[in-house]
Amino acid sequence: MLQAIDLTISYDGNTIVKNVTLQVEEGEIVSIIGPNGSGKSTLLKGISRMIPCESGRVCIAGQELQSMHTKRISQMMCILCQSNQTPADMTVEELVSYGRFPHKKWYERLSSSDYEIIDWAIEQTGLSTYRKRLVKSLSGGEGQRAWIAMALAQRPKVLLLDEPTTYLDIAHQLEVLELVRTLNKELGITVIMVLHDLNQASTYSDRICVIRNGQVALSGKPSDVLTHDMIRDVYGVEAEVAYIHGSESPRIHPLRKAQAN
């Protein structure tokens, strides 16, 4: 579904992402993890073309993004960043309607079929009773669901999420991640997301990609990636890795900072 091949991304002469290759199959949830400043969000933005890549290429459904019109890319892929802002007077319904813009010509108004998709996206995200509410009046979890509804209205094949649980309490973090997993399983949307919480990455991912110093340190199933050695080597933390009740998803219990060799 999506390939990032030998991506290199630099800021002000500093290379942040170095020759990263990442392949994501259709219908997968892939989480990108790694220490602060390792290049996770930069990689996601490079994949989406929000920021330019110094070298390398990105392909979606076999087509190179570089050769695709921006509007076509927007029809196939959507990115939601950590902090999203709306005008003070924008309602949930108005925000969600923006998801239809990539499918319209600049002079076209929303059609009845567009409004059906908007209604569907609002319903899918459990926001039917909030549709006339101002986005700024929503709680953090509700606000994230509103942005995800906007992305759904866009009808993308691939959804990119940059730390979707940032600033949310634990209950709302789980609410958002459960929604993402439901949309993935029921609608077949391919998801690539940056996460900080290793246990959340373990629970909600089909595969995990570990980024360290702008390069892929490890990639694979959660059980193969989330090991004691990886956590010590990449994060500098000693941790217990346990499996509960026969689960295939490891649980991480940080213990202490690892001693330097």
Side-chain angles (χ1 to χ4, degrees):
M1 170 55 75
L2 186 141
Q3 288 179 302
I5 304 166
D6 293 331
L7 287 192
T8 294
I9 305 170
S10 299
Y11 284 135
D12 298 326
N14 297 314
T15 301
I16 309 300
V17 171
K18 310 167 190 175
N19 301 319
V20 167
T21 293
L22 176 68
Q23 179 158 331
V24 181
E25 302 299 332
E26 184 174 359
E28 275 194 313
I29 298 180
V30 174
S31 291
I32 301 171
I33 65 172
N36 287 344
S38 58
K40 303 183 299 296
S41 295
T42 299
L43 173 60
L44 202 70
K45 291 174 182 176
I47 289 172
S48 71
R49 287 209 326 180
M50 279 186 68
I51 58 176
C53 297
E54 184 176 313
S55 62
R57 56 198 178 97
V58 178
C59 300
I60 183 169
Q63 294 181 273
E64 283 197 36
L65 263 62
Q66 194 65 31
S67 64
M68 295 170 63
H69 192 280
T70 299
K71 189 169 186 177
R72 178 58 179 157
I73 296 172
S74 297
Q75 292 171 356
M76 299 185 70
M77 182 166 60
C78 180
I79 183 170
L80 296 180
C81 297
Q82 295 177 36
S83 299
N84 301 292
Q85 302 294 327
T86 62
D89 59 349
M90 178 172 283
T91 66
V92 169
E93 185 176 38
E94 289 170 336
L95 172 62
V96 177
S97 72
Y98 274 76
R100 299 307 303 155
F101 285 11
H103 300 272
K104 312 297 290 185
K105 294 183 172 63
W106 67 268
Y107 56 82
E108 283 186 305
R109 294 186 177 185
L110 295 177
S111 65
S112 58
S113 62
D114 290 318
Y115 283 111
E116 287 176 5
I117 292 171
I118 292 165
D119 291 343
W120 167 83
I122 289 173
E123 183 178 348
Q124 288 289 324
T125 50
L127 292 169
S128 295
T129 59
Y130 298 86
R131 63 187 306 142
K132 298 300 182 183
R133 286 265 302 272
L134 296 179
V135 176
K136 71 172 186 178
S137 72
L138 302 179
S139 69
E142 293 162 355
Q144 281 288 51
R145 283 193 282 139
W147 282 97
I148 292 173
M150 186 273 291
L152 274 185
Q154 197 168 318
R155 289 288 179 93
K157 300 293 184 183
V158 179
L159 178 60
L160 308 178
L161 301 171
D162 187 7
E163 299 186 31
T165 58
T166 299
Y167 311 125
L168 302 182
D169 60 33
I170 294 174
H172 286 117
Q173 289 178 26
L174 296 178
E175 175 186 277
V176 167
L177 291 171
E178 286 291 338
L179 172 61
V180 169
R181 181 158 64 180
T182 297
L183 297 174
N184 166 260
K185 299 303 180 188
E186 295 185 0
L187 304 178
I189 296 175
T190 302
V191 178
I192 307 171
M193 58 183 174
V194 171
L195 290 178
H196 269 299
D197 190 297
L198 299 185
N199 285 314
Q200 290 176 357
S202 176
T203 301
Y204 293 98
S205 309
D206 297 309
R207 287 193 300 117
I208 293 174
C209 177
V210 183
I211 300 294
R212 175 174 58 180
N213 297 326
Q215 296 180 301
V216 176
L218 199 60
S219 180
K221 296 187 300 183
S223 57
D224 294 332
V225 170
L226 297 173
T227 65
H228 172 271
D229 288 347
M230 185 283 288
I231 296 167
R232 182 192 59 218
D233 294 344
V234 172
Y235 289 91
V237 170
E238 299 289 353
E240 289 181 349
V241 180
Y243 291 83
I244 302 173
H245 305 307
S247 170
E248 295 183 0
S249 300
R251 305 302 299 169
I252 313 303
H253 305 282
L255 300 175
R256 60 187 175 275
K257 188 173 180 180
Q259 294 183 348
N261 293 326

